[in-house]
Amino acid sequence: MEKARPASLASSDTVRVTNPSGSSPFVLTCDHASNFLPAGFGTLGLAAEDLSRHIAWDPGALPVALRMAQALDATLVETRISRLVIDCNRPLDAPDLVPPVSETTAIPGNTGLTEKQRAERVALSWQPFHSAIEHIVEDRLARGQETRLVSVHSFTPVYKGYTRPWHIGIIHDEDRRLASPLISALKRLAGITVGVNEPYSPADRVYFTLERHARSRGLPCAMIEIRNDEIAGETGQRKWADLLTGIFSNLEPVEAKGSRQRAMGKSVQSAS
């Protein structure tokens, strides 16, 4: 499990931005980067081993995203508190924003919360994460810097008894400008099974960060899901980071007729 950080985390410490002045057109996010629980939350009533499971974070996703950011000279925005406290990749009205159950595991510390307690969690982690992305994107656009958003996640090989065959999945909505060339590049690789809107799709409410910060502005975006047994160790993390870096180094959005207009027509989702 990730090494514990100081219990006195302030909001400014619950999100980390790496390479904020990156020259790459890509801005990476890692929405479930950490399994850390500040001291005031205890273990949320869970056994210690549960906090290393996928229910608490996306194992392996952050090392991949960090290596990609370094190689691409890209900006990376990561969460530093477990999604068990609050899921930063969910809208504020989502029933699983503070999940009472994750997969099949009940989270005792997330039941019966008052509105004040929920608001404190929003202020602790959700708001700083989205404010950081907002600031970075707005600053880049003000400078006229090309900006494309990509979120990096991982998923479990088996979910509720169902075996997932994909090594990597690319999630997208109707705007396929980034997803189409990315999927094509991955499918050309031998021995790689690529999921298209698998194991999740935007219909599963997993596309919020990209909807809020990219789709609302007409920016190309895509979501990467890597099966977490592929990136459980340093060798696999390096393999996938280098593979994706090679693809992203030459990746150019494919303009789909009307996709930009549709994206620009969406309003930024409310933060209240």
Side-chain angles (χ1 to χ4, degrees), residues 114-135:
T114 66
E115 286 302 313
K116 181 175 182 291
Q117 288 172 319
R118 289 176 67 88
E120 287 172 347
R121 295 192 187 198
V122 170
L124 176 67
S125 183
W126 191 100
Q127 194 65 61
F129 177 66
H130 288 288
S131 294
I133 301 172
E134 188 94 7
H135 174 78

Side-chain angles (χ1 to χ4, degrees), residues 167-262:
H167 298 99
I168 187 170
I170 304 302
I171 316 304
H172 65 83
D173 61 8
E174 66 270 21
D175 183 354
R176 303 181 182 185
R177 288 175 290 169
L178 271 187
S180 288
L182 177 54
I183 290 166
S184 295
L186 287 165
K187 284 187 172 181
R188 287 193 291 269
L189 300 174
I192 301 295
T193 302
V194 183
V196 179
N197 279 333
E198 296 286 2
Y200 308 107
S201 79
D204 297 309
R205 304 188 323 273
V206 299
Y207 213 60
F208 173 72
T209 296
L210 296 178
E211 289 172 346
R212 181 179 177 88
H213 299 287
R215 296 292 281 124
S216 62
R217 296 178 171 90
L219 302 175
C221 61
M223 180 175 175
I224 295 172
E225 287 273 3
I226 307 170
R227 203 174 67 201
N228 65 27
D229 60 337
E230 288 282 312
I231 51 175
E234 185 178 347
T235 299
Q237 293 160 7
R238 186 186 309 113
K239 166 196 164 182
W240 277 101
D242 293 351
L243 185 156
L244 288 166
T245 295
I247 292 174
F248 274 78
S249 296
N250 300 297
L251 189 67
E252 291 297 328
V254 175
E255 285 295 338
K257 186 177 179 180
S259 65
R260 185 171 182 83
Q261 286 77 11
R262 285 194 300 273

